[in-house]
Amino acid sequence: MLSNAQNARAVPWAVMSMDSIRSRLGLTDQQAARVEPILQQANGRRMDAIFDSKAAGTSWKTMRDLLSEMKAITAETDSQLRPILSPDQMEAYLVMQEEMRDKIRAEFTARRGMQ
């Protein structure tokens, strides 16, 4: 699995630093120790899915499959985080996810405009 730094270089918008997550969510040391491996695993799975889909081409089916896999990874990750985070922290995490999706959409739109 790629490290956070390798993931960040591969797809800059895909990884938020653990320090940033810890700060924004106000994680305790114990929470951070439990959250970090969950997020690392999810990010690794997302990177694998992205690179696999690039290798498979850009058909509508490939893109739908990628979107479906991303949604499944997100749902699984959220279910693993819910027992660790307080309701307020979980809400803040969901906001962070939406902000990241907005960044991804903006970058995708900008790249499509360059073609």
Side-chain angles (χ1 to χ4, degrees), residues 56-107:
T58 56
S59 71
W60 284 109
K61 181 183 180 330
T62 301
M63 299 310 287
R64 279 193 313 266
D65 290 348
L66 175 61
L67 181 59
S68 177
E69 187 167 356
M70 292 295 192
K71 286 181 179 181
I73 293 167
T74 298
E76 182 180 331
T77 303
D78 290 355
S79 71
Q80 292 174 321
L81 293 176
R82 279 189 199 286
I84 300 168
L85 302 177
S86 72
D88 288 342
Q89 288 171 321
M90 191 66 197
E91 182 62 33
Y93 174 74
L94 295 173
V95 168
M96 289 170 57
Q97 279 186 320
E98 189 58 37
E99 290 170 355
M100 190 63 65
R101 280 192 286 274
D102 289 346
K103 285 182 184 180
I104 292 167
R105 285 184 196 112
E107 184 171 320

Side-chain angles (χ1 to χ4, degrees), residues 4-98:
N4 279 348
Q6 289 168 317
N7 276 338
R9 282 194 299 276
V11 185
W13 41 258
V15 178
M16 185 176 289
S17 77
M18 192 60 205
D19 288 339
S20 175
I21 293 168
R22 180 189 295 245
S23 174
R24 287 199 51 191
L25 299 183
L27 298 179
T28 65
D29 290 342
Q30 294 81 11
Q31 285 176 310
R34 293 178 63 196
V35 166
E36 186 170 12
I38 293 168
L39 296 180
Q40 285 178 340
Q41 180 186 34
N43 286 336
R45 289 177 59 202
R46 285 184 183 104
M47 293 299 101
D48 289 347
I50 290 168
F51 293 124
D52 289 349
S53 73
K54 285 183 179 183
T58 56
S59 71
W60 284 109
K61 181 183 180 330
T62 301
M63 299 310 287
R64 279 193 313 266
D65 290 348
L66 175 61
L67 181 59
S68 177
E69 187 167 356
M70 292 295 192
K71 286 181 179 181
I73 293 167
T74 298
E76 182 180 331
T77 303
D78 290 355
S79 71
Q80 292 174 321
L81 293 176
R82 279 189 199 286
I84 300 168
L85 302 177
S86 72
D88 288 342
Q89 288 171 321
M90 191 66 197
E91 182 62 33
Y93 174 74
L94 295 173
V95 168
M96 289 170 57
Q97 279 186 320
E98 189 58 37

